[in-house]
Amino acid sequence: MAATQGQPTVAGAVDRHTPLGLTPDDLKRMYYLMVLARSLDERMWILNRQGKVAFVISGQGQEGAQVGSAYALEPGKDFFVPYYRDLTVALTAGMTARDLMLALFARAEDPASGGRQMPGHYGHRAHNVVSGSSPIATQIPHAVGIAMASKIKGEDVVAAAWFGEAASSKGDFHEALNFAGLLKAPVVFVCENNRYAISVPETKQMPVPNVADKACAYGFPGVITDGNDVLDVYGAMKEAVERARRGDGPTLIECKTYRIVPHSSDDDESRYRSKVEVEEWKRKGPIERLRAYMESQGIWDEGYEREVRERALSEVNDATEYAERAVSPDAVTILDNLFGRV
Ligand SMILES: Cc1ncc(C[n+]2csc(CCOP(=O)(O)OP(=O)(O)O)c2C)c(N)n1
Ligand SMILES: [Mg+2]
């Protein structure tokens, strides 16, 4: 491929992005979204430990699966139905660091719920990000409903639902996939298999080795991807979105990945996994992997890294200060949006 700014590619490094229709600028955008998500997430933990915010649920380690999948949808047109770890999905869909911090601080201006929902319930009407409920997997049938509404109205809209591997043991998952397969709904199911449901390893909650294996029961393809390889996930998602737009129905994409921090700010991970295991996965992290690839293509260098880190830090600082100063919902609005008027 043509290297940017005249930098040579590493001899023998295979260009994997051009065949997928991605430019060096796309890779830089994906890289930035992951670094921004990681920086925001790290700041959220600090704010929690300072006693400023009550709860954090984290996407660290899963940014590659998230940006690789969300990037193949069209923001402002397609529908994003994420779950609580999907900070990078929310950012890729068009939500800002300020939006996410406003939700974390439960401020009135929080676009997801005006400060009503727990953090991690991403939502933004203008960006077609649909906020979910806390019970696991309930967002999966919602995505099928949105996809079917789009199909019935003759719109060219694809919906995607994201969820963890344990969500695939819930009835909601199976009902959603059954109807999506039957009705050929324009939907993509993205499973972020991070190997654990809080403390329960995947081997203790599912009888098959891959979530993707479950798709065959519903008559559509199940694809296994390396969830820490942005390009692998993007390639599978691009194909799945094209398939959905053609009217050929759903795809289930499993992203094999790992969360590198505890389940939430209230979890003690030392009770169920070793530090060695976590450190091993950190070394294979999605940010590190994309950085190495970009370097091999002459798209990344130390100067660029500094620029990215500084830009992300200033966005995180701005969002933190803005949300900390923002007002909480007025107590008199407590019943707003709970009851309809007759
Ligand atoms: C119906 C239901 N049961 C239990 C919970 C408590 N809970 C919250 S997250 C979680 C683990 C889900 O694991 P997985 O689907 O693999 O997603 P991950 O958290 O690993 O990303 C559980 C059991 C819940 N929110 N809803
Ligand atoms: Mg899991």
Side-chain angles (χ1 to χ4, degrees):
M1 59 152 280
T4 52
Q5 297 159 357
Q7 290 162 322
T9 56
V10 172
V14 178
D15 171 1
R16 296 171 54 216
H17 62 280
T18 308
L20 293 172
L22 292 171
T23 64
D25 280 346
D26 286 317
L27 298 187
K28 286 182 168 182
R29 176 86 191 126
M30 288 166 140
Y31 188 71
Y32 182 69
L33 287 164
M34 290 204 290
V35 170
L36 176 61
R38 180 69 63 91
S39 313
L40 263 171
D41 205 304
E42 287 170 353
R43 176 65 57 84
M44 289 174 175
W45 279 85
I46 292 169
L47 292 166
N48 173 265
R49 295 312 194 231
Q50 288 175 336
K52 290 183 176 177
V53 301
F55 182 73
V56 176
I57 193 143
S58 210
Q60 289 185 44
Q62 298 179 208
E63 298 93 340
Q66 295 174 13
V67 77
S69 51
Y71 205 84
L73 291 174
E74 208 175 300
K77 173 178 158 181
D78 294 326
F79 272 74
F80 299 78
V81 191
Y83 85 121
Y84 44 83
R85 298 208 187 281
D86 287 325
L87 205 72
T88 322
V89 171
L91 292 170
T92 308
M95 290 185 71
T96 64
R98 281 190 180 188
D99 292 336
L100 301 173
M101 279 294 181
L102 284 164
L104 187 77
F105 279 91
R107 298 309 194 203
E109 213 188 317
D110 152 36
S113 70
R116 267 80 168 165
Q117 276 274 39
M118 280 176 84
H121 290 63
Y122 314 101
H124 201 298
R125 192 182 287 270
H127 297 299
N128 295 343
V129 179
V130 183
S131 187
S133 290
S134 295
I136 296 299
T138 46
Q139 76 281 16
I140 310 175
H142 296 172
V144 177
I146 292 165
M148 279 314 296
S150 140
K151 184 171 172 157
I152 291 163
K153 285 156 84 181
E155 293 170 350
D156 176 35
V157 168
V158 173
W162 284 261
F163 49 90
E165 79 289 348
S168 76
S169 296
K170 280 283 308 293
D172 311 63
F173 168 89
H174 295 279
E175 291 171 32
L177 267 69
N178 184 57
F179 272 103
L182 186 69
L183 303 173
K184 289 206 184 302
V187 63
V188 185
F189 303 104
V190 184
C191 177
E192 294 170 43
N193 184 347
N194 63 9
R195 321 298 164 119
Y196 289 92
I198 312 184
S199 56
V200 180
E202 61 177 325
T203 47
K204 286 201 174 159
Q205 64 85 17
M206 46 185 249
V208 289
N210 306 301
V211 173
D213 297 345
K214 303 183 186 189
C216 72
Y218 304 110
F220 55 85
V223 183
I224 299 173
T225 64
D226 177 342
N228 283 9
D229 179 346
V230 174
L231 296 179
D232 196 33
V233 176
Y234 179 80
M237 186 72 179
K238 184 176 149 71
E239 212 176 306
V241 171
E242 283 167 4
R243 180 181 148 80
R245 285 206 207 286
R246 277 199 310 272
D248 289 345
T251 306
L252 169 61
I253 297 174
E254 177 178 8
C255 309
K256 303 276 192 189
T257 183
Y258 195 83
R259 78 170 146 73
I260 55 169
V261 288
H263 170 77
S264 75
S265 48
D266 298 333
D267 176 39
D268 174 6
E269 65 180 358
S270 70
R271 296 171 71 96
Y272 58 88
R273 63 183 188 179
S274 71
K275 277 197 171 116
V276 176
E277 179 183 305
V278 178
E279 287 308 315
E280 209 168 288
W281 275 96
K282 277 188 187 169
R283 276 194 293 280
K284 308 186 275 195
I287 298 180
E288 292 75 3
R289 296 266 298 275
L290 184 58
R291 184 190 304 148
Y293 174 74
M294 287 168 71
E295 188 176 15
S296 80
Q297 300 296 308
I299 300 168
W300 179 95
D301 61 24
E302 295 288 349
Y304 170 69
E305 181 71 17
R306 265 195 305 280
E307 186 193 310
V308 164
R309 299 271 161 193
E310 277 165 22
R311 190 147 61 93
L313 185 63
S314 94
E315 227 179 298
V316 172
N317 285 341
D318 165 79
T320 310
E321 284 157 25
Y322 186 87
E324 229 177 330
R325 274 200 308 267
V327 293
S328 294
D330 192 323
V332 301
T333 67
I334 198 162
L335 298 180
D336 284 5
N337 308 319
L338 283 182
F339 301 105
R341 286 180 213 280
V342 281

